Amino acid sequence: MLREDVTEAIRSAVFEELAAVGFARMSIEGIARRAGVGKTAVYRRWKSKLSLVLDLVSAVAAQGLPAPATGSLYGDVRALLEVASHALRHPVASQVIPDLLVEAARNPEIADTIRAALLDGRQGVAALVVRDAVARGELPETADPDRAVDLILGPLYWRLVVVRGDLPEGYLDDLAASVVAALTRG
């Protein structure tokens, strides 16, 4: 039986190693050293660094974003923006996400896992936000959850991950208002 504390130490070490050296230079040896375990402890759990990273990306995505229930479309969008902005500004995430996206361009297996991880969880939350807004009469029944994901997360991802800019005072409020305006226009 595998010890859960060792498995958790390895998982933490993977994120640290990814942030420090990136996927291409990451090694099982480096992960084991950071986790304070032998390489065999890693290989007992995962057959390769690829399977290890894919497993972790899937596990993190499964946790997903919490579905807000503020009682208004603006409140729900604003809450999602707040959670997403904290996640994207996390020091490890800000290093790991861009690196994995570069690797996804080279490796279809990574691309498929990331696509499923990023889209499935976010679309599920967006679908709930849209469904609730439709039920309250804030959006038409034809409102598209995929468009909601694009409008909610696209600008935030661009600003925090691609441009690596700061969020000025009131940015999330303004972005939430813009998203709501765009969604309600159809």
Side-chain angles (χ1 to χ4, degrees), residues 71-85:
S72 73
L73 177 58
Y74 173 84
D76 289 352
V77 168
R78 179 63 177 79
L80 280 177
L81 286 169
E82 187 71 37
V83 170
S85 72

Side-chain angles (χ1 to χ4, degrees), residues 44-90:
R44 273 189 215 113
R45 290 159 176 82
W46 296 277
K47 64 182 179 181
S48 66
K49 78 175 186 178
L50 177 60
S51 64
L52 173 53
V53 169
L54 295 178
D55 180 53
L56 291 182
V57 168
S58 297
V60 168
Q63 296 170 355
L65 289 175
T70 66
S72 73
L73 177 58
Y74 173 84
D76 289 352
V77 168
R78 179 63 177 79
L80 280 177
L81 286 169
E82 187 71 37
V83 170
S85 72
H86 284 294
L88 291 172
R89 285 186 281 186
H90 188 279

Side-chain angles (χ1 to χ4, degrees), residues 90-106:
H90 188 279
V92 173
S94 68
Q95 296 300 314
V96 170
I97 292 170
D99 182 61
L100 286 179
L101 292 175
V102 167
E103 291 302 323
R106 297 180 201 143

Side-chain angles (χ1 to χ4, degrees), residues 65-153:
L65 289 175
T70 66
S72 73
L73 177 58
Y74 173 84
D76 289 352
V77 168
R78 179 63 177 79
L80 280 177
L81 286 169
E82 187 71 37
V83 170
S85 72
H86 284 294
L88 291 172
R89 285 186 281 186
H90 188 279
V92 173
S94 68
Q95 296 300 314
V96 170
I97 292 170
D99 182 61
L100 286 179
L101 292 175
V102 167
E103 291 302 323
R106 297 180 201 143
N107 184 318
E109 198 172 357
I110 293 175
D112 290 344
T113 300
I114 289 174
R115 186 177 307 108
L118 293 178
L119 291 179
D120 293 349
R122 301 324 181 259
Q123 286 172 330
V125 171
L128 293 173
V129 167
V130 168
R131 182 201 66 203
D132 291 349
V134 167
R136 290 188 300 264
E138 295 176 285
L139 290 176
E141 288 187 22
T142 57
D144 182 4
D146 290 338
R147 184 168 178 246
V149 170
D150 293 346
L151 291 169
I152 293 167
L153 296 178

